[in-house]
Amino acid sequence: MDEDAGSMKRIAECGAGAIVTKSIGLKPRDGYANPTLVELECGLLNAMGLPNPGIESFKEEIKKLKQSKIKIIGSIFGSNASEFTELAKKMESYGADAVELNMSCPHAKGYGLEIGSDPKLVNGITSKVKRAINIPVFVKISPNLMNIVEIAKAAERGKADAIVAINTVKAMKIDLDLKMPVLANKIGGYSGRAIKPIGVRCVYEISENVKIPIIGVGGITNGEDALEYMIAGASAVQIGSGLYYREIDIFKKVCKEIQNWMKKNNYNNLSELVGVAHK
Ligand code: DHB
C-alpha cells in the first residue's frame, strides 16, 4: 500500500494522523519477482525490491492525496547524497509535509541498509538533504546493526528532525518440500508481532543517547503495543504490518485502545508517558 493516492486516501479516512508513502526512488522499478511476501508464525517476511513508479510519476499521486487534509511523509531512497537530495526537493515541491530517508531497507543492493550502516554516509546524506529543503527530515534506521546508537547520533548530528526506528529484521523462510528459500530474493525483512521487542529495545537505547524525537515502528498491532513504544521513548508511532492483522481501520482501533488505557490509568496527556521507562 501507499504507492498510489487511492490506497493512501483510504488510510487517511481510517484514523491515521499522517501517511508514510512507499519508498520512492528516481526511476520506476518493478521490484523482485514473486514470491515477495510470505506470512510466518509471528509476522510477515517480505522482499519487494523497492517497486515504485519513480519520483516523476509520484507527483500525480501526491497531488490527488493533497485533496485530503492528511499529513504526508514522503519516504525516499537513493544511493548517495545527491540522489536523496534531488528526491527530497521533489517531494517538498509536490507538497509533502516531511520526508523520511530510507537508510534501512535490508536487501536492496546499493540502497537502504548498505548506506545506513555507515555513520559517515548517514551524517553526510542527512545534512545535505537538510540544507536543501525546509520541511522536516526523518531518518529511518535499521535494527540489523551493532551500532544503532552511533547511526542515530550521526543522523542527529546531520540535523535530522527525528529518528524512525525500526525497519524490518533480516530473515529467511525455507520451504521443506522444495528445500529452498520461499522468497525469490531468498532473504527478506521480517515485520509484525515478532519484532516488537526488538523495536522497543532499539527505541529505548536510542532515546538514552539522542535529544531529537523518535518515531517508533515495528510490530504494533494494538494500543498497548503503541504505549510500550512511547514509554520506551517514542513520541509517535507508525503501523505497517498491523493492517494485515486488524484491517485498514487499525488506526482508529489503536487510538481508542490508547484512550481506554489512559482513562483506566489516570493519564490525560500522552506526553506524560513518553520515555517514562528511563526515569
Ligand atoms: C522495501 C523493504 C523495506 O524494508 C523498505 O524499508 C522499503 C522497501 C521493499 O522491499 O520494497
Side-chain angles (χ1 to χ4, degrees), residues 22-23 32 46-51 102 104-107 140 167-168 189:
K22 177 80 184 144
S23 291
Y32 302 137
N46 88 85
M48 310 305 294
L50 296 162
N102 182 343
S104 43
C105 175
H107 48 67
K140 184 164 182 179
N167 205 315
T168 51

Side-chain angles (χ1 to χ4, degrees), residues 65-81:
L65 185 60
K66 287 298 273 183
Q67 293 158 8
S68 321
K69 289 232 159 51
I70 192 104
K71 296 284 177 199
I72 305 166
I73 303 168
S75 172
I76 53 177
F77 71 91
S79 58
N80 56 48

Side-chain angles (χ1 to χ4, degrees), residues 59-108:
K59 181 179 185 173
E60 206 44 45
E61 305 307 320
I62 298 213
K63 212 167 102 190
K64 283 187 221 153
L65 185 60
K66 287 298 273 183
Q67 293 158 8
S68 321
K69 289 232 159 51
I70 192 104
K71 296 284 177 199
I72 305 166
I73 303 168
S75 172
I76 53 177
F77 71 91
S79 58
N80 56 48
S82 348
E83 286 189 14
F84 270 104
T85 305
E86 188 180 340
L87 289 159
K89 279 179 165 166
K90 293 230 159 105
M91 279 290 186
E92 180 178 43
S93 72
Y94 299 167
D97 297 285
V99 292
E100 183 179 283
L101 312 184
N102 182 343
M103 301 219 194
S104 43
C105 175
H107 48 67

Side-chain angles (χ1 to χ4, degrees), residues 20 36 43 59-60 69 72 88 97 110 132 134 151-152 185 193 216 258:
V20 184
T36 49
K59 181 179 185 173
E60 206 44 45
K69 289 232 159 51
I72 305 166
D97 297 285
N134 293 309
I151 296 295
N185 188 59
R193 280 203 177 88
I258 292 175

